[in-house]
Amino acid sequence: MKKLLILLFLGLSCSAFAQTVKVSGRVTGSDGTSLPGVYVMEENTTNATSTDLDGNFTLDVPAGSNLLFSYIGYRTQIIPVTGAAVLSVILEEDSALLEEVVVVGYGTQKKSVVTAAIAKVSSDDLKNVAPVRIDNALKGLTSGVTVTSSSGQPGASARVRVRGVGTINNSEPLYIVDGMPIGGGIDYLNPSDIQSIEVLKDAASGAVYGARAANGVILVTTKSGQKGATRVTYDFSYGFQNPWKEYDVLNATEYALLMNEGYLAQGKAPVYSDPYALGEGTDWQKEVFNYNAPQINHQLTISGASDKVNYYISAGYYSQDGIVGGNFNRSNYERLTIRTNTTYNLMDQSAKRNFLHKFTMGINAAYSRNTSFGITTNSEFGGPLGSALGMAPTLKVYA
């Protein structure tokens, strides 16, 4: 009897073991990129695992069960398991879910966690504002961010404060352009080259940047090429400015009469013997103002992308005359910008192996020359000349 029971128990164990199969495979996105950290779970159980850095996974599940693949920003996919197999799973992006995710530093966070701490300005918002400088693009578009002009000079820099003034030394926020920290502001950027601006306003969202994020972080993402044929775009705009309001002033005759009345009230002889002979005189307010002060903007871009290269090249020229003194070349601003954002795919062996399979190199270079003619300058040629040159090469190896 004991031998019969032992044989029956062994038979049940072998039967249960035979129902469990090993499933392995690789999870990629629609573009073929490996997806690390994808949650792989046997449906309606706690039996689960996640993909490694190359998107590979292995899981023991009962035959006939369903595997559920879940990843932030991608649609959940369920695949039935009929036996031991090697799966190749491709997840599709879900635009609705992507709106719930924000990029913070070197990773991502759920938008529900940091909604109150992040403000975003898109390229469509910038088109409606058409700012002269990129820091002015944040004016009135982001809550908790105060942008004040340092002067009325055309092209004058703005003072940006995120949630008030800091208590230690410098109160300027940290600027990150395409992943690279930038010192001295971002006035060298052409607003037309900006894809989006994100402002990290609290310690939680900017924690990856450490103490440098004490006054907030401003993340700037520049435009890149879109896959397809080469696109050449030229934009031109022309505008003009006028004084919003003028003060009511006296003409020469009215001024002479008023002065004479003042002297007579003091018991003195009038200053002007014949005030009416002075006529209207010169309205110096109108002489100082530059009416219909022009604003001219030229923007040329060449962009495109293929499997081997992604490129975006732009050149821009902006000119603005000041309302006060601009017609005398004493309050003018000019900016010339040249920028290239190029990425080269030097090697892609993703289809053949899962290690050292992709090698890319990127070059992000910008040149800006700003010329400002100010009323307070003592320069013979009208004002200081400023230029900036920045280059940020990037090299990526996927292992």
Side-chain angles (χ1 to χ4, degrees):
M1 186 64 180
K2 292 183 178 179
K3 292 181 179 180
L4 183 61
L5 292 174
I6 292 174
L7 291 174
L8 181 60
F9 178 76
L10 290 176
L12 292 174
S13 300
C14 292
S15 176
F17 179 76
Q19 293 177 357
T20 302
V21 295
K22 177 174 287 188
V23 180
S24 61
R26 181 166 177 255
V27 183
T28 62
S30 56
D31 58 352
T33 305
S34 302
L35 298 179
V38 176
Y39 189 64
V40 184
M41 181 186 68
E42 179 188 347
E43 192 176 21
N44 300 325
T45 68
T46 57
N47 182 23
T49 185
S50 60
T51 58
D52 58 16
L53 293 177
D54 296 319
N56 298 320
F57 72 95
T58 301
L59 185 64
D60 294 330
V61 296
S65 60
N66 293 328
L67 278 183
L68 184 145
F69 297 84
S70 177
Y71 195 55
I72 294 177
Y74 291 80
R75 294 178 181 175
T76 300
Q77 191 172 146
I78 299 177
I79 298 178
V81 178
T82 57
V86 177
L87 303 178
S88 179
V89 182
I90 300 176
L91 297 182
E92 297 181 356
E93 293 183 358
D94 192 333
S95 58
L97 291 177
L98 286 174
E99 293 179 357
E100 303 301 322
V101 179
V102 291
V103 178
V104 179
Y106 311 107
T108 61
Q109 293 188 20
K110 286 188 177 181
K111 196 172 184 179
S112 59
V113 178
V114 291
T115 298
I118 293 182
K120 183 175 181 179
V121 179
S122 65
S123 57
D124 293 334
D125 297 328
L126 296 180
K127 288 181 181 179
N128 297 330
V129 178
V132 178
R133 293 168 52 99
I134 188 61
D135 42 18
N136 286 325
L138 301 174
K139 187 180 297 183
L141 297 179
T142 53
S143 61
V145 179
T146 304
V147 182
T148 56
S149 300
S150 58
S151 71
Q153 172 83 11
S157 61
R159 184 181 296 106
V160 180
R161 296 293 180 264
V162 179
R163 288 189 172 178
V165 179
T167 57
I168 301 177
N169 301 328
N170 188 10
S171 296
E172 291 292 330
L174 173 65
Y175 294 97
I176 305 292
V177 179
D178 292 333
M180 300 292 293
I182 302 296
I186 52 175
D187 56 341
Y188 70 94
L189 289 175
N190 187 343
S192 300
D193 293 336
I194 303 303
Q195 180 64 36
S196 66
I197 303 174
E198 291 181 339
V199 183
L200 312 182
K201 295 183 283 189
D202 70 342
S205 57
V208 294
Y209 299 104
R212 294 184 299 173
N215 298 314
V217 183
I218 297 179
L219 304 176
V220 179
T221 303
T222 60
K223 293 180 180 178
S224 58
Q226 302 295 326
K227 211 161 188 178
T230 300
R231 298 181 60 184
V232 180
T233 305
Y234 172 73
D235 294 325
F236 169 77
S237 63
Y238 179 88
F240 54 88
Q241 310 165 94
N242 281 299
W244 175 68
K245 185 178 181 181
E246 297 179 2
Y247 289 101
D248 292 330
V249 295
L250 303 175
N251 59 34
T253 299
E254 293 170 341
Y255 176 80
L257 290 172
L258 184 64
M259 293 297 294
N260 285 345
E261 290 179 3
Y263 274 87
L264 291 172
Q266 300 177 41
K268 299 179 181 179
V271 179
Y272 301 98
S273 58
D274 187 5
Y276 294 98
L278 300 176
E280 294 289 331
T282 302
D283 187 348
W284 293 107
Q285 182 178 219
K286 293 184 179 296
E287 295 297 325
V288 170
F289 281 142
N290 181 20
Y291 294 92
N292 298 324
Q295 285 181 302
I296 303 173
N297 188 22
H298 299 271
Q299 179 71 19
L300 175 66
T301 61
I302 303 174
S303 64
S306 64
D307 294 334
K308 295 294 183 181
V309 63
N310 183 309
Y311 57 93
Y312 184 91
I313 304 170
S314 68
Y317 173 78
Y318 180 84
S319 174
Q320 179 184 11
D321 286 0
I323 295 177
V324 177
N327 47 343
F328 299 104
N329 201 29
R330 301 299 294 171
S331 180
N332 297 1
Y333 175 75
E334 291 182 355
R335 181 187 64 223
L336 173 66
T337 59
I338 302 174
R339 183 174 186 82
T340 174
N341 188 359
T342 309
T343 303
Y344 301 95
N345 188 3
L346 302 180
M347 181 189 71
D348 190 355
Q349 300 292 329
S350 303
K352 296 181 179 180
R353 59 174 181 265
N354 297 328
F355 62 95
L356 295 177
H357 57 82
K358 198 171 184 181
F359 185 74
T360 63
M361 182 180 68
I363 298 177
N364 195 330
Y367 173 80
S368 175
R369 181 175 180 177
N370 302 331
T371 306
S372 180
F373 298 89
I375 296 176
T376 59
T377 182
N378 293 321
S379 172
E380 179 181 356
F381 296 97
L385 179 64
S387 63
L389 176 63
M391 181 176 291
T394 57
L395 187 64
K396 297 180 181 179
V397 178
Y398 295 83

